[in-house]
């Protein structure tokens, strides 16, 4: 008997209509407070043309100005005969041929594209997430195995660590790590922020690893030991690979949460994405536009991470 194919396009249309209604609701809400959208102010916070002033190095005279496209090549001849050649934007030229210049006088400016505060904040969020995630994964793996250890000291210490970290807010942990431990050990704010996030992530990863290992049937370990594998070899080659497939979804969720938790390191003056957004708002007065861009940038990080985890989960699931 052939399986009847269900039509899904009506549901996709319904989904689209719901999203349109949500978008309309946001627009209508802002219209009630007479908010004026100024999206034209946003691009400069991603990238902008920075200006660098070009100045005379000595007292002298402008002996030549040559055309170089949208630039002007200015030749300055010092009193001692030395020449200085500067290329500046033609529309910024401040001197004419034959003018006398003094040391430090502005001749013009050069312009070049540079990353804005939102892109720098995105970069800071990325490297903090990667560094703390990698360290947290190692800490979590070690903690999870210690929680399953037959050694009472390792088991008790790992339990205290997990309960202490999970029972206190991350914001408080960042404050303690930076203002107390960081002051005693003379740590930079970046190191303190990464360390606090790594320890916080490690506690949750440890519980994920513990649950994943315990979900593997006990007979798997017994079968591996009967084949002559040691306890360590059995864990590394038999138990952990099976546990990894089972804990991949919660691990992905934990690392996605970590990316968002990096916003809390702004309290110790690390200019990550959220802090960059707040600073951009103070100069642009475009509150909603900037926050929508910040949210979109977090999605740019997290959506690919979710897709990679889903594909890896499906690929590993084929081996079952």
């Amino acid at each position: 008997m052939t399986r009847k194919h269900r039509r899904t396009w009506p549901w996709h249309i319904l989904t689209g209509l719901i999203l349109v209604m949500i978008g309309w609701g946001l627009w209508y809400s802002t219209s009630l407070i007479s908010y004026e959208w100024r999206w034209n102010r946003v691009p400069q916070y991603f990238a902008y043309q920075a200006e660098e002033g070009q100045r005379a190095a000595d007292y002298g005279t402008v002996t030549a100005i040559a055309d170089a496209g949208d630039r002007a090549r200015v030749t300055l001849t010092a009193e001692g005969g030395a020449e200085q050649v500067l290329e500046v934007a033609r529309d910024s030229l401040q001197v004419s041929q034959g003018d006398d210049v003094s040391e430090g006088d502005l001749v013009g400016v050069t312009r070049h594209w540079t990353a804005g505060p939102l892109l720098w904040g995105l970069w800071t969020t990325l490297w903090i997430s990667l560094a703390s995630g990698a360290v947290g994964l190692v800490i979590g793996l070690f903690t999870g195995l210690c929680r399953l250890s037959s050694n009472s000291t390792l088991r008790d210490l790992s339990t205290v660590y997990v309960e202490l970290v999970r029972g206190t807010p991350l914001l408080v942990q960042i404050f303690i790590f930076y203002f107390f431990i960081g002051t005693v050990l003379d740590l930079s704010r970046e190191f303190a922020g990464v360390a606090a996030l790594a320890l916080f992530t490690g506690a949750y990863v440890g519980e994920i690893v513990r649950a994943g290992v315990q979900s593997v049937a006990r007979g798997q370990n017994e079968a591996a030991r009967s084949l002559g594998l040691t306890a360590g070899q059995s864990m590394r080659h038999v138990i952990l690979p099976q546990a990894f497939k089972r804990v991949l979804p919660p691990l992905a969720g934990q690392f996605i949460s970590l990316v968002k938790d990096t916003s809390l390191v702004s309290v110790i003056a690390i200019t990550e994405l959220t802090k960059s957004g707040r600073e951009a708002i103070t100069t642009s007065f475009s509150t909603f536009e900037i926050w929508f861009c910040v949210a979109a940038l977090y999605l740019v990080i997290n959506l690919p991470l979710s897709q990679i985890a889903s594909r890896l989960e499906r690929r590993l699931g084929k081996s079952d």
Side-chain angles (χ1 to χ4, degrees):
M1 189 176 192
T2 59
R3 188 174 179 179
K4 204 170 184 181
H5 181 67
R6 293 182 60 188
R7 291 184 298 177
T8 59
W9 62 265
W11 298 105
H12 293 311
I13 292 177
L14 178 60
T15 302
L17 289 174
I18 292 173
L19 293 177
V20 169
M21 290 298 296
I22 292 174
W24 179 85
L26 290 173
W27 173 82
Y28 181 71
S29 299
T30 56
S31 66
L32 292 177
I33 58 175
S34 301
Y35 185 80
E36 183 179 351
W37 294 92
R38 299 183 181 92
W39 287 104
N40 60 308
R41 297 182 180 181
V42 174
Q44 62 182 318
Y45 294 98
F46 285 92
Y48 65 96
Q49 278 194 315
E51 293 186 348
E52 183 178 352
Q54 301 296 316
R55 300 180 180 275
D58 206 346
Y59 293 91
T61 304
V62 180
T63 54
I65 298 179
D67 188 8
D70 59 345
R71 293 191 174 193
R73 186 177 294 108
V74 182
T75 303
L76 307 177
T77 303
E79 293 177 349
E83 288 190 348
Q84 179 186 9
V85 179
L86 299 173
E87 281 197 3
V88 299
R90 174 166 290 281
D91 60 357
S92 70
L93 191 60
Q94 302 292 314
V95 296
S96 301
Q97 189 168 342
D99 287 353
D100 293 328
V101 293
S102 301
E103 181 182 354
D105 282 355
L106 181 66
V107 176
V109 300
T110 57
R111 299 186 180 97
H112 60 275
W113 285 99
T114 186
L118 288 181
L119 283 186
W120 280 115
L122 176 64
W123 164 246
T124 303
T125 294
L126 279 172
W127 77 257
I128 288 179
S129 300
L130 289 173
S132 55
V135 177
L137 182 61
V138 174
I139 295 174
L141 179 60
F142 180 75
T143 301
L145 295 179
C146 286
R147 292 269 282 161
L148 299 171
S149 174
S150 57
N151 187 302
S152 298
T153 300
L154 290 177
R155 190 170 61 250
D156 293 342
L157 289 177
S158 61
T159 301
V160 169
Y161 159 63
V162 169
E163 296 303 328
L164 185 64
V165 170
R166 294 201 307 172
T168 55
L170 174 58
L171 185 61
V172 174
Q173 295 172 29
I174 293 174
F175 276 130
I176 292 175
F177 208 98
Y178 178 62
F179 291 107
F180 178 65
I181 301 176
T183 302
V184 172
L185 300 180
D186 193 23
L187 302 177
S188 66
R189 59 173 58 92
E190 289 81 8
F191 187 92
V194 169
L197 287 171
L199 288 172
F200 180 80
T201 303
Y204 285 88
V205 172
E207 284 298 276
I208 292 172
V209 170
R210 178 192 62 79
V213 171
Q214 288 183 328
S215 70
V216 178
R218 188 183 299 271
Q220 296 288 321
N221 183 54
E222 295 173 353
R225 297 300 297 274
S226 67
L227 293 175
L229 298 180
T230 63
Q233 291 173 332
S234 173
M235 180 64 69
R236 187 168 64 253
H237 297 295
V238 178
I239 305 300
L240 285 181
Q242 296 182 67
F244 176 73
K245 291 192 290 185
R246 303 182 182 191
V247 303
L248 189 57
L251 273 181
Q254 181 58 43
F255 288 124
I256 288 173
S257 296
L258 171 63
V259 173
K260 295 179 289 186
D261 288 339
T262 57
S263 61
L264 295 177
V265 299
S266 61
V267 298
I268 56 175
I270 296 178
T271 309
E272 42 65 62
L273 185 53
T274 300
K275 189 172 189 295
S276 297
R278 288 202 299 267
E279 293 176 352
I281 289 172
T282 60
T283 57
S284 68
F285 301 102
S286 302
T287 306
F288 291 154
E289 295 91 332
I290 295 296
W291 283 132
F292 276 127
C293 289
V294 169
L297 290 174
Y298 276 112
L299 281 174
V300 167
I301 302 174
N302 287 329
L303 285 180
L305 183 59
S306 299
Q307 293 298 317
I308 292 172
S310 297
R311 289 190 177 185
L312 188 57
E313 184 182 359
R314 288 195 299 267
R315 184 174 181 180
L316 293 175
K318 293 178 181 178
S319 61
D320 291 338

